[in-house]
Amino acid sequence: MANDGCGAPAGGVTITADAASKEAVIEGRVLSGDSPVTTGYARLKGTGDEFVAELPLGEDGGFRFFAAPGDWTLVVLAPGGVREERSVSADIGQVTKVEVTV
């Protein structure tokens, strides 16, 4: 996995079935048509536009955040000035799947 200096592994941390049952997880992929977007970032923001976390997209366009239960804003930043936002909710024991097409 490449790391471009932001400190987070591309795509996010790998999850096990045991961890998924004890955590609130937000994960997904960023696509352009049928192809993964491999250059860009996924950002998680809390209430009041508060920055929480950011990580580079993985080779499959994937991202994964371990979040506190509640409502979040997922922001995808990709080349060409692309910025997409999605409202997502996270709950303990739930993996919230999000697919973003840019």
Side-chain angles (χ1 to χ4, degrees), residues 51-99:
F51 173 85
V52 175
E54 180 176 88
L55 53 90
L57 299 174
E59 291 179 11
D60 63 350
F63 58 86
R64 180 176 297 112
F65 294 102
F66 292 85
D71 296 324
W72 299 92
T73 300
L74 172 71
V75 180
V76 170
L77 306 169
V82 171
R83 178 183 164 84
E84 294 286 332
E85 290 193 17
R86 301 285 187 279
S87 295
V88 296
S89 294
D91 231 343
I92 297 294
Q94 173 183 324
V95 177
T96 301
K97 302 263 187 183
V98 183
E99 188 169 288

Side-chain angles (χ1 to χ4, degrees), residues 14-25 66 92-95:
T14 302
I15 186 172
T16 63
D18 183 53
S21 69
K22 299 174 185 172
E23 303 283 345
V25 179
F66 292 85
I92 297 294
Q94 173 183 324
V95 177

Side-chain angles (χ1 to χ4, degrees), residues 25-67:
V25 179
I26 299 169
E27 72 176 20
R29 291 181 59 202
V30 181
L31 302 170
S32 177
D34 292 330
S35 300
V37 176
T38 60
T39 303
Y41 294 89
R43 180 179 291 169
L44 200 59
K45 296 189 320 185
T47 57
D49 216 27
E50 169 193 14
F51 173 85
V52 175
E54 180 176 88
L55 53 90
L57 299 174
E59 291 179 11
D60 63 350
F63 58 86
R64 180 176 297 112
F65 294 102
F66 292 85

